[in-house]
């Protein structure tokens, strides 16, 4: 059941119920944060929807313009100005997946506070990055795009069905510098390291998401938090091992519980005995305008080292968001590092180069596919494209690398929707523009259309890339009759614009 379905079916929690469920945090008010009533009131209010624009496909002002055409008010989030795209706040009930621009990979929906951790990772192109708990991948995509969609990001998760959702988002956003892996992050193979940056966006009791999922109010409590804490410590401990000396780890949760936040960080700092440093989160330089609070240093009789105040807490009533916790850690330059990993061997079959030449010729691409991408056959189904310099390790074996772009096990072989969206903006042949909104939406509903002779004048019968106002939507077959058969997938990364 989705969070939206849950919200419709379950009775909303009242402020009194919220206050009772969260009463154990009351002693923090007046110490690290103020305004208990404001905190409870904020949690009882619905949360604005937040999306970010894909920096490689559309700028924020243009995306806001598309929303304005639909009569949807969109306001930029000022403290997210350094995110690769532009973060826009939309009304709470707004469903991005129902809109064509989402299906075309021009934007991604991600709660505003959830966008913070990658912004504190000090990311730069060329870094090798691990996202240890990555699904469904909003932060992975932010990291990947902050690296310029080049180089090597590993995105790991423990839940196979969540890796499928993660891959769906990466396909829709045309992210080509990520390999996904399926492993218990607490036991992640050391053979994969070392990494310059690691994100541990840990599984947690999710109290900070109560505004989206009020039924959680009946599940949270100290026992649940204690249970999560041992897994969180194992994840953070592993991240320290996998990080290169001098590298950075960001640990984050969306919960208020100190047991899952400062106490986890304090335990790992103590274990590392000076080889790991908690850094002050660079809020004023990276997140100007964000109202944040310090980490908790006294909790239920335990006093933590004062440096734990360097952790960052975002309380829901401070910026009208969900709740979040972030710790930025640096591994000592003289700490022990791991040897460089063995690289995964590239798999290709003799015909594969010809498939790529065929795609480039059919669609009149300005340069050969292999000039810009690493091409790989990951299964009998067909070919994947990854960034030319993407270098996944041999272990753990990736579930997938880059995007699946060309299906070769069908007759005739076909460009996939992800392939069309990735390559279609620069295609010069076999491109058919569906600029009328009704035609665009019919294509997304997988309907067969009859374009005008003028629309199809530049195409001959066969496969075509369909575009809307220059943005590629996917693939269709133009029949000799003049009918255009949509090949838009029935399931496409949470998109329902096709009905
Ligand atoms: C908070 S969510 C991550 C959200 C994600 N970073 C994003 O921005 O979309 C935590 C994730 O950790 C995964 N997880 C839980 N236990 C894990 C483990 N032992 N190793 C790796 N991932 C784990 C869950 O399946 C879940 O997808």
């Amino acid at each position: 059941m989705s969070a939206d379905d849950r919200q419709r079916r379950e009775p909303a929690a009242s402020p009194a119920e919220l206050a009772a469920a969260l009463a154990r945090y009351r002693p923090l008010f007046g110490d690290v944060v103020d305004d208990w009533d404001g905190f409870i009131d904020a949690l009882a209010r619905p949360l604005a929807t937040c999306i970010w624009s894909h920096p490689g496909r559309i700028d924020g002002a243009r995306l806001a313009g598309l929303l304005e055409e639909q009569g949807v008010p969109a306001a930029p989030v000022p403290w997210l100005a350094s995110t690769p795209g532009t973060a826009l706040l939309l009304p709470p009930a707004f469903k991005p997946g129902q809109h064509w621009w989402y299906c075309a990979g021009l934007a991604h929906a991600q709660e505003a506070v959830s966008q913070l951790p990658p912004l504190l990772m000090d990311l730069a192109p060329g870094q090798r990055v691990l996202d240890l708990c990555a699904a469904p991948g909003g932060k992975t995509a932010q990291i990947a795009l902050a690296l310029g969609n080049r180089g090597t990001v590993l995105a790991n998760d423990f839940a196979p069905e969540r890796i499928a959702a993660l891959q769906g988002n990466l396909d829709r956003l045309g992210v080509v510098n990520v390999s996904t892996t399926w492993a218990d992050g607490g036991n992640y193979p050391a053979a994969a390291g070392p990494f310059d940056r690691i994100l541990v966006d840990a599984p947690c009791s999710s109290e900070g998401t109560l505004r989206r999922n009020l039924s959680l109010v009946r599940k949270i409590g100290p026992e649940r938090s204690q249970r999560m804490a041992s897994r969180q410590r194992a994840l953070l401990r592993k991240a320290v091992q996998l990080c290169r000396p001098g590298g950075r780890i960001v640990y984050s949760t969306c919960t208020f519980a100190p047991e899952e936040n400062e106490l986890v960080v304090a335990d790992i700092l103590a274990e590392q005995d000076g080889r790991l440093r908690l850094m002050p989160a660079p809020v004023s330089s990276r997140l100007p305008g964000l109202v944040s609070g310090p980490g908790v240093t006294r909790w239920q009789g335990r006093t933590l080292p004062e440096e734990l105040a360097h952790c960052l807490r975002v309380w829901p009533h401070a910026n009208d968001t969900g709740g979040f916790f972030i710790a930025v850690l640096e591994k000592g330059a003289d700490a022990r590092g791991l040897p460089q990993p063995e690289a995964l061997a590239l798999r290709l079959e003799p015909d594969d180069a010809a498939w790529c030449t065929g795609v480039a010729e059919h669609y009149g691409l300005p340069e050969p596919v292999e000039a810009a991408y690493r091409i790989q056959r990951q299964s009998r189904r067909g070919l994947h494209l990854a960034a030319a310099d993407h270098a996944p390790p041999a272990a753990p074996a990736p579930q997938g690398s880059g995007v699946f772009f060309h299906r070769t096990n069908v007759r005739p072989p076909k460009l996939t929707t992800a392939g069309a969206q990735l390559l279609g903006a620069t295609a010069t042949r076999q491109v058919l523009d569906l600029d009328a909104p009704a035609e665009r939406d019919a294509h997304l509903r997988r309907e067969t259309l009859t374009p005008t002779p003028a629309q199809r004048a530049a195409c001959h019968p066969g496969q075509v890339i369909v575009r809307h106002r220059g943005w590629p939507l996917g693939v269709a077959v133009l029949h000799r009759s003049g009918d255009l058969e949509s090949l838009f997938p029935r399931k496409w990364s949470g998109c329902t614009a096709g009905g």
Side-chain angles (χ1 to χ4, degrees), residues 469-490:
R469 296 163 71 172
W471 286 294
L473 296 178
V475 185
V477 178
L478 181 62
H479 291 280
R480 289 191 183 286
S481 63
D483 284 351
L484 184 71
E485 180 192 348
S486 168
L487 300 183
F488 197 78
R490 202 162 286 281

Side-chain angles (χ1 to χ4, degrees), residues 108 110 114-115 117-118 131-142 156-163 166 169 181-188 199-204 206 228 231-232 234-235 252-254 324:
H108 187 64
Q110 190 180 4
S114 175
Q115 296 176 42
D131 186 353
L132 200 55
C133 307
K139 296 181 192 70
T140 309
Q142 280 181 281
N156 176 68
D157 206 275
F158 197 34
E161 70 288 355
R162 288 177 65 88
I163 295 178
L166 161 69
N169 281 322
T181 61
W182 173 30
D184 170 5
N187 283 313
Y188 204 76
L199 175 63
V200 184
D201 188 36
C204 69
S206 307
M228 306 294 315
R231 195 190 313 182
Q232 291 158 340
L235 289 163
S252 57
T253 75
C254 56
F324 230 78

